[in-house]
Amino acid sequence: SYAPAGDVAEVYWDVDQPVGSQSVFVPSPTWPNPTFQTNVAGQYRFYLDVYDQDNTISCETAEYILTVIPDEAIHVELLWNTPNDINQSDEGPESGSDMDLHFIHPYAGGGPDKDFDGLPDPWFDPIYDCAWFNPYPDWNSIDPNIDDNPGLDRDDTDGAGPENLNLAEPEDVLYRVGVHYFNDHGYGLSIPTIRVYVFTALLLEIVGPDMLPLQMWEAAEIDWTMIE
């Protein structure tokens, strides 16, 4: 971009991003070449205006469209909205609520008894629950050429997410997806959203219940025997 006359004196960036995405320009939208993380799948439309030394804006706003598509067999996103947090895009210790994405294998069952029925629960299983405490588990094949283990590539502890999970080569089993409200950091109830992509296509988008700290939501099941 260029200014109407003379040199570019100021710039201003803006973006329309997918619903639920809270990314911001770093260090600011007035920086000449900021960075921006596209952590949520979907379409991003970027805008740029420039001003010359007389504060005259460019004749047209420059636009660029970027489409982010997950390329794994299974891609799961967790986003959440906390109404009492007036700035859900800020970062730092306890600057937002903390929800966690959980993805469990059918072998899961060694976790703590959170529903108090006297039996271990699948959530928080130390091996077969892929979550913040076990982001890259080793579940099945020992063959290094078979990529059948999931990976949690992002653990957001201070805001609206996303938390993203990817699995390249699923087994012919039933996987389950859950959300745990780990800590509200004083912001109160929050509403999660789960999106499940299968081979780049959005298979499921579901908004969860209003949740309070320490509550667990069993959000979805992915039966790979029915998808292949």
PDB file of all heavy atoms in Angstrom, residues 1 6 11 17 19 24 31 46 56-57 68 70 84 88 104 111 114 120 146 152 172 181-182 196 210 216:
ATOM      1  N   SER A   1       0.848  -1.197   0.000  1.00  0.00           N
ATOM      2  CA  SER A   1       0.000   0.000   0.000  1.00  0.00           C
ATOM      3  C   SER A   1       0.878   1.240   0.000  1.00  0.00           C
ATOM      4  O   SER A   1       2.042   1.197   0.401  1.00  0.00           O
ATOM      5  CB  SER A   1      -0.909   0.015   1.232  1.00  0.00           C
ATOM      6  OG  SER A   1      -1.791  -1.085   1.201  1.00  0.00           O
ATOM      7  N   GLY A   6       3.225  11.585  -0.924  1.00  0.00           N
ATOM      8  CA  GLY A   6       4.335  11.530   0.014  1.00  0.00           C
ATOM      9  C   GLY A   6       4.510  10.154   0.614  1.00  0.00           C
ATOM     10  O   GLY A   6       4.107   9.132   0.050  1.00  0.00           O
ATOM     11  N   VAL A  11      -0.294   3.636   9.747  1.00  0.00           N
ATOM     12  CA  VAL A  11      -1.023   2.497   9.178  1.00  0.00           C
ATOM     13  C   VAL A  11      -2.052   2.028  10.195  1.00  0.00           C
ATOM     14  O   VAL A  11      -1.912   2.267  11.398  1.00  0.00           O
ATOM     15  CB  VAL A  11      -0.080   1.322   8.823  1.00  0.00           C
ATOM     16  CG1 VAL A  11       0.994   1.769   7.849  1.00  0.00           C
ATOM     17  CG2 VAL A  11       0.553   0.724  10.075  1.00  0.00           C
ATOM     18  N   GLN A  17     -12.712 -12.040  11.511  1.00  0.00           N
ATOM     19  CA  GLN A  17     -12.226 -13.397  11.749  1.00  0.00           C
ATOM     20  C   GLN A  17     -13.371 -14.334  12.108  1.00  0.00           C
ATOM     21  O   GLN A  17     -14.472 -13.890  12.411  1.00  0.00           O
ATOM     22  CB  GLN A  17     -11.147 -13.399  12.831  1.00  0.00           C
ATOM     23  CG  GLN A  17     -11.479 -12.651  14.113  1.00  0.00           C
ATOM     24  CD  GLN A  17     -10.270 -12.520  15.022  1.00  0.00           C
ATOM     25  OE1 GLN A  17      -9.511 -13.462  15.220  1.00  0.00           O
ATOM     26  NE2 GLN A  17     -10.079 -11.343  15.591  1.00  0.00           N
ATOM     27  N   VAL A  19     -16.096 -16.732  13.819  1.00  0.00           N
ATOM     28  CA  VAL A  19     -16.803 -16.588  15.090  1.00  0.00           C
ATOM     29  C   VAL A  19     -16.065 -17.367  16.183  1.00  0.00           C
ATOM     30  O   VAL A  19     -15.721 -18.534  16.010  1.00  0.00           O
ATOM     31  CB  VAL A  19     -18.251 -17.104  14.965  1.00  0.00           C
ATOM     32  CG1 VAL A  19     -18.942 -17.072  16.327  1.00  0.00           C
ATOM     33  CG2 VAL A  19     -19.024 -16.277  13.958  1.00  0.00           C
ATOM     34  N   VAL A  24      -5.417 -11.067  18.040  1.00  0.00           N
ATOM     35  CA  VAL A  24      -5.172  -9.634  17.889  1.00  0.00           C
ATOM     36  C   VAL A  24      -3.844  -9.427  17.175  1.00  0.00           C
ATOM     37  O   VAL A  24      -2.998 -10.323  17.105  1.00  0.00           O
ATOM     38  CB  VAL A  24      -5.142  -8.918  19.259  1.00  0.00           C
ATOM     39  CG1 VAL A  24      -6.498  -9.008  19.944  1.00  0.00           C
ATOM     40  CG2 VAL A  24      -4.050  -9.491  20.154  1.00  0.00           C
ATOM     41  N   TRP A  31       0.972  -0.995  14.017  1.00  0.00           N
ATOM     42  CA  TRP A  31       2.363  -1.356  13.724  1.00  0.00           C
ATOM     43  C   TRP A  31       2.487  -1.651  12.222  1.00  0.00           C
ATOM     44  O   TRP A  31       1.602  -2.264  11.631  1.00  0.00           O
ATOM     45  CB  TRP A  31       2.741  -2.578  14.538  1.00  0.00           C
ATOM     46  CG  TRP A  31       4.211  -2.833  14.650  1.00  0.00           C
ATOM     47  CD1 TRP A  31       4.929  -3.790  14.004  1.00  0.00           C
ATOM     48  CD2 TRP A  31       5.140  -2.144  15.480  1.00  0.00           C
ATOM     49  NE1 TRP A  31       6.252  -3.736  14.369  1.00  0.00           N
ATOM     50  CE2 TRP A  31       6.411  -2.732  15.277  1.00  0.00           C
ATOM     51  CE3 TRP A  31       5.025  -1.078  16.374  1.00  0.00           C
ATOM     52  CZ2 TRP A  31       7.555  -2.292  15.932  1.00  0.00           C
ATOM     53  CZ3 TRP A  31       6.173  -0.636  17.028  1.00  0.00           C
ATOM     54  CH2 TRP A  31       7.413  -1.241  16.811  1.00  0.00           C
ATOM     55  N   PHE A  46      -8.494  -9.574   5.969  1.00  0.00           N
ATOM     56  CA  PHE A  46      -7.629  -8.545   6.528  1.00  0.00           C
ATOM     57  C   PHE A  46      -7.799  -7.224   5.763  1.00  0.00           C
ATOM     58  O   PHE A  46      -7.996  -7.222   4.542  1.00  0.00           O
ATOM     59  CB  PHE A  46      -6.160  -8.981   6.457  1.00  0.00           C
ATOM     60  CG  PHE A  46      -5.837 -10.133   7.365  1.00  0.00           C
ATOM     61  CD1 PHE A  46      -5.916 -11.440   6.898  1.00  0.00           C
ATOM     62  CD2 PHE A  46      -5.450  -9.912   8.665  1.00  0.00           C
ATOM     63  CE1 PHE A  46      -5.620 -12.504   7.728  1.00  0.00           C
ATOM     64  CE2 PHE A  46      -5.155 -10.966   9.509  1.00  0.00           C
ATOM     65  CZ  PHE A  46      -5.244 -12.270   9.040  1.00  0.00           C
ATOM     66  N   THR A  56      -3.984  12.163   5.405  1.00  0.00           N
ATOM     67  CA  THR A  56      -4.923  11.810   4.352  1.00  0.00           C
ATOM     68  C   THR A  56      -4.900  10.300   4.153  1.00  0.00           C
ATOM     69  O   THR A  56      -3.831   9.701   3.958  1.00  0.00           O
ATOM     70  CB  THR A  56      -4.556  12.505   3.031  1.00  0.00           C
ATOM     71  OG1 THR A  56      -4.547  13.924   3.241  1.00  0.00           O
ATOM     72  CG2 THR A  56      -5.559  12.154   1.934  1.00  0.00           C
ATOM     73  N   ILE A  57      -6.084   9.699   4.217  1.00  0.00           N
ATOM     74  CA  ILE A  57      -6.174   8.251   4.122  1.00  0.00           C
ATOM     75  C   ILE A  57      -6.079   7.801   2.673  1.00  0.00           C
ATOM     76  O   ILE A  57      -6.423   8.556   1.742  1.00  0.00           O
ATOM     77  CB  ILE A  57      -7.499   7.755   4.767  1.00  0.00           C
ATOM     78  CG1 ILE A  57      -7.477   6.239   4.947  1.00  0.00           C
ATOM     79  CG2 ILE A  57      -8.688   8.192   3.936  1.00  0.00           C
ATOM     80  CD1 ILE A  57      -8.653   5.714   5.748  1.00  0.00           C
ATOM     81  N   VAL A  68      -8.244 -20.692   6.415  1.00  0.00           N
ATOM     82  CA  VAL A  68      -7.486 -21.671   7.199  1.00  0.00           C
ATOM     83  C   VAL A  68      -8.274 -22.974   7.253  1.00  0.00           C
ATOM     84  O   VAL A  68      -9.421 -22.993   7.719  1.00  0.00           O
ATOM     85  CB  VAL A  68      -7.218 -21.143   8.626  1.00  0.00           C
ATOM     86  CG1 VAL A  68      -6.492 -22.190   9.463  1.00  0.00           C
ATOM     87  CG2 VAL A  68      -6.413 -19.858   8.567  1.00  0.00           C
ATOM     88  N   PRO A  70      -7.962 -27.072   8.403  1.00  0.00           N
ATOM     89  CA  PRO A  70      -7.176 -28.145   9.032  1.00  0.00           C
ATOM     90  C   PRO A  70      -7.058 -29.330   8.083  1.00  0.00           C
ATOM     91  O   PRO A  70      -8.027 -29.715   7.431  1.00  0.00           O
ATOM     92  CB  PRO A  70      -7.992 -28.501  10.281  1.00  0.00           C
ATOM     93  CG  PRO A  70      -9.385 -28.067   9.960  1.00  0.00           C
ATOM     94  CD  PRO A  70      -9.264 -26.881   9.057  1.00  0.00           C
ATOM     95  N   ASN A  84     -18.435 -12.221  31.576  1.00  0.00           N
ATOM     96  CA  ASN A  84     -17.924 -11.251  32.546  1.00  0.00           C
ATOM     97  C   ASN A  84     -16.488 -10.809  32.255  1.00  0.00           C
ATOM     98  O   ASN A  84     -15.977  -9.910  32.936  1.00  0.00           O
ATOM     99  CB  ASN A  84     -17.991 -11.830  33.961  1.00  0.00           C
ATOM    100  CG  ASN A  84     -19.415 -11.944  34.473  1.00  0.00           C
ATOM    101  OD1 ASN A  84     -20.286 -11.173  34.065  1.00  0.00           O
ATOM    102  ND2 ASN A  84     -19.663 -12.898  35.350  1.00  0.00           N
ATOM    103  N   GLN A  88     -11.464 -10.585  26.276  1.00  0.00           N
ATOM    104  CA  GLN A  88     -11.102 -11.995  26.222  1.00  0.00           C
ATOM    105  C   GLN A  88      -9.890 -12.264  25.332  1.00  0.00           C
ATOM    106  O   GLN A  88      -9.460 -13.406  25.196  1.00  0.00           O
ATOM    107  CB  GLN A  88     -12.299 -12.820  25.738  1.00  0.00           C
ATOM    108  CG  GLN A  88     -13.496 -12.712  26.679  1.00  0.00           C
ATOM    109  CD  GLN A  88     -14.620 -13.654  26.311  1.00  0.00           C
ATOM    110  OE1 GLN A  88     -14.431 -14.863  26.169  1.00  0.00           O
ATOM    111  NE2 GLN A  88     -15.819 -13.113  26.146  1.00  0.00           N
ATOM    112  N   ILE A 104     -10.616 -38.697  24.487  1.00  0.00           N
ATOM    113  CA  ILE A 104     -10.280 -39.980  25.115  1.00  0.00           C
ATOM    114  C   ILE A 104     -10.450 -41.154  24.163  1.00  0.00           C
ATOM    115  O   ILE A 104     -11.305 -41.171  23.282  1.00  0.00           O
ATOM    116  CB  ILE A 104     -11.097 -40.221  26.400  1.00  0.00           C
ATOM    117  CG1 ILE A 104     -12.598 -40.223  26.115  1.00  0.00           C
ATOM    118  CG2 ILE A 104     -10.741 -39.217  27.471  1.00  0.00           C
ATOM    119  CD1 ILE A 104     -13.419 -40.650  27.331  1.00  0.00           C
ATOM    120  N   GLY A 111      -9.163 -42.794  35.328  1.00  0.00           N
ATOM    121  CA  GLY A 111      -9.132 -41.466  35.918  1.00  0.00           C
ATOM    122  C   GLY A 111      -9.826 -41.418  37.266  1.00  0.00           C
ATOM    123  O   GLY A 111     -10.407 -42.410  37.730  1.00  0.00           O
ATOM    124  N   LYS A 114     -14.901 -38.686  39.353  1.00  0.00           N
ATOM    125  CA  LYS A 114     -15.461 -37.344  39.471  1.00  0.00           C
ATOM    126  C   LYS A 114     -16.985 -37.328  39.559  1.00  0.00           C
ATOM    127  O   LYS A 114     -17.574 -36.324  39.953  1.00  0.00           O
ATOM    128  CB  LYS A 114     -14.978 -36.470  38.316  1.00  0.00           C
ATOM    129  CG  LYS A 114     -13.499 -36.093  38.431  1.00  0.00           C
ATOM    130  CD  LYS A 114     -13.123 -35.053  37.422  1.00  0.00           C
ATOM    131  CE  LYS A 114     -11.703 -34.558  37.656  1.00  0.00           C
ATOM    132  NZ  LYS A 114     -11.556 -33.819  38.926  1.00  0.00           N
ATOM    133  N   PRO A 120     -13.717 -45.648  38.597  1.00  0.00           N
ATOM    134  CA  PRO A 120     -12.864 -44.671  37.914  1.00  0.00           C
ATOM    135  C   PRO A 120     -13.552 -44.148  36.654  1.00  0.00           C
ATOM    136  O   PRO A 120     -14.259 -44.882  35.965  1.00  0.00           O
ATOM    137  CB  PRO A 120     -11.606 -45.469  37.569  1.00  0.00           C
ATOM    138  CG  PRO A 120     -11.634 -46.658  38.465  1.00  0.00           C
ATOM    139  CD  PRO A 120     -13.073 -46.971  38.703  1.00  0.00           C
ATOM    140  N   ILE A 146       3.326 -45.066  11.560  1.00  0.00           N
ATOM    141  CA  ILE A 146       1.878 -44.953  11.732  1.00  0.00           C
ATOM    142  C   ILE A 146       1.596 -43.828  12.732  1.00  0.00           C
ATOM    143  O   ILE A 146       1.940 -43.926  13.907  1.00  0.00           O
ATOM    144  CB  ILE A 146       1.260 -46.277  12.227  1.00  0.00           C
ATOM    145  CG1 ILE A 146       1.518 -47.388  11.204  1.00  0.00           C
ATOM    146  CG2 ILE A 146      -0.241 -46.107  12.473  1.00  0.00           C
ATOM    147  CD1 ILE A 146       0.986 -48.737  11.626  1.00  0.00           C
ATOM    148  N   LEU A 152      -2.365 -32.413  21.277  1.00  0.00           N
ATOM    149  CA  LEU A 152      -2.988 -31.147  21.671  1.00  0.00           C
ATOM    150  C   LEU A 152      -1.946 -30.056  21.461  1.00  0.00           C
ATOM    151  O   LEU A 152      -0.970 -29.974  22.201  1.00  0.00           O
ATOM    152  CB  LEU A 152      -3.429 -31.199  23.134  1.00  0.00           C
ATOM    153  CG  LEU A 152      -4.159 -29.974  23.668  1.00  0.00           C
ATOM    154  CD1 LEU A 152      -5.563 -29.888  23.093  1.00  0.00           C
ATOM    155  CD2 LEU A 152      -4.215 -29.990  25.195  1.00  0.00           C
ATOM    156  N   ASP A 172     -10.011 -47.610  14.184  1.00  0.00           N
ATOM    157  CA  ASP A 172     -11.439 -47.915  14.000  1.00  0.00           C
ATOM    158  C   ASP A 172     -12.101 -48.095  15.361  1.00  0.00           C
ATOM    159  O   ASP A 172     -12.500 -49.200  15.750  1.00  0.00           O
ATOM    160  CB  ASP A 172     -11.597 -49.178  13.144  1.00  0.00           C
ATOM    161  CG  ASP A 172     -11.258 -48.931  11.700  1.00  0.00           C
ATOM    162  OD1 ASP A 172     -11.427 -47.794  11.220  1.00  0.00           O
ATOM    163  OD2 ASP A 172     -10.808 -49.875  11.026  1.00  0.00           O
ATOM    164  N   TYR A 181     -14.084 -27.313  32.872  1.00  0.00           N
ATOM    165  CA  TYR A 181     -13.863 -25.920  33.280  1.00  0.00           C
ATOM    166  C   TYR A 181     -12.878 -25.940  34.442  1.00  0.00           C
ATOM    167  O   TYR A 181     -13.256 -26.116  35.592  1.00  0.00           O
ATOM    168  CB  TYR A 181     -15.185 -25.273  33.679  1.00  0.00           C
ATOM    169  CG  TYR A 181     -15.175 -23.750  33.713  1.00  0.00           C
ATOM    170  CD1 TYR A 181     -16.362 -23.033  33.844  1.00  0.00           C
ATOM    171  CD2 TYR A 181     -13.995 -23.023  33.596  1.00  0.00           C
ATOM    172  CE1 TYR A 181     -16.385 -21.646  33.863  1.00  0.00           C
ATOM    173  CE2 TYR A 181     -13.994 -21.642  33.613  1.00  0.00           C
ATOM    174  CZ  TYR A 181     -15.195 -20.956  33.752  1.00  0.00           C
ATOM    175  OH  TYR A 181     -15.193 -19.575  33.774  1.00  0.00           O
ATOM    176  N   PHE A 182     -11.625 -25.718  34.126  1.00  0.00           N
ATOM    177  CA  PHE A 182     -10.557 -25.889  35.113  1.00  0.00           C
ATOM    178  C   PHE A 182     -10.542 -24.779  36.156  1.00  0.00           C
ATOM    179  O   PHE A 182     -10.451 -25.030  37.353  1.00  0.00           O
ATOM    180  CB  PHE A 182      -9.205 -25.947  34.385  1.00  0.00           C
ATOM    181  CG  PHE A 182      -8.038 -26.225  35.278  1.00  0.00           C
ATOM    182  CD1 PHE A 182      -7.798 -27.510  35.722  1.00  0.00           C
ATOM    183  CD2 PHE A 182      -7.183 -25.209  35.671  1.00  0.00           C
ATOM    184  CE1 PHE A 182      -6.721 -27.773  36.558  1.00  0.00           C
ATOM    185  CE2 PHE A 182      -6.113 -25.458  36.501  1.00  0.00           C
ATOM    186  CZ  PHE A 182      -5.868 -26.748  36.943  1.00  0.00           C
ATOM    187  N   VAL A 196     -15.780 -29.969  15.270  1.00  0.00           N
ATOM    188  CA  VAL A 196     -15.083 -31.180  14.837  1.00  0.00           C
ATOM    189  C   VAL A 196     -14.974 -31.166  13.323  1.00  0.00           C
ATOM    190  O   VAL A 196     -15.998 -31.103  12.619  1.00  0.00           O
ATOM    191  CB  VAL A 196     -15.806 -32.451  15.308  1.00  0.00           C
ATOM    192  CG1 VAL A 196     -15.074 -33.700  14.797  1.00  0.00           C
ATOM    193  CG2 VAL A 196     -15.918 -32.489  16.834  1.00  0.00           C
ATOM    194  N   ASP A 210     -24.072 -23.450  29.908  1.00  0.00           N
ATOM    195  CA  ASP A 210     -23.376 -22.521  30.798  1.00  0.00           C
ATOM    196  C   ASP A 210     -22.648 -23.360  31.853  1.00  0.00           C
ATOM    197  O   ASP A 210     -23.274 -24.175  32.545  1.00  0.00           O
ATOM    198  CB  ASP A 210     -24.358 -21.585  31.489  1.00  0.00           C
ATOM    199  CG  ASP A 210     -25.044 -20.634  30.521  1.00  0.00           C
ATOM    200  OD1 ASP A 210     -24.690 -20.656  29.330  1.00  0.00           O
ATOM    201  OD2 ASP A 210     -25.933 -19.885  30.961  1.00  0.00           O
ATOM    202  N   MET A 216     -17.784 -30.717  34.173  1.00  0.00           N
ATOM    203  CA  MET A 216     -17.341 -31.457  32.998  1.00  0.00           C
ATOM    204  C   MET A 216     -18.500 -31.596  32.027  1.00  0.00           C
ATOM    205  O   MET A 216     -19.630 -31.901  32.431  1.00  0.00           O
ATOM    206  CB  MET A 216     -16.845 -32.851  33.418  1.00  0.00           C
ATOM    207  CG  MET A 216     -16.201 -33.650  32.306  1.00  0.00           C
ATOM    208  SD  MET A 216     -14.466 -33.212  32.091  1.00  0.00           S
ATOM    209  CE  MET A 216     -14.180 -33.819  30.425  1.00  0.00           C
TER     210      MET A 216
END
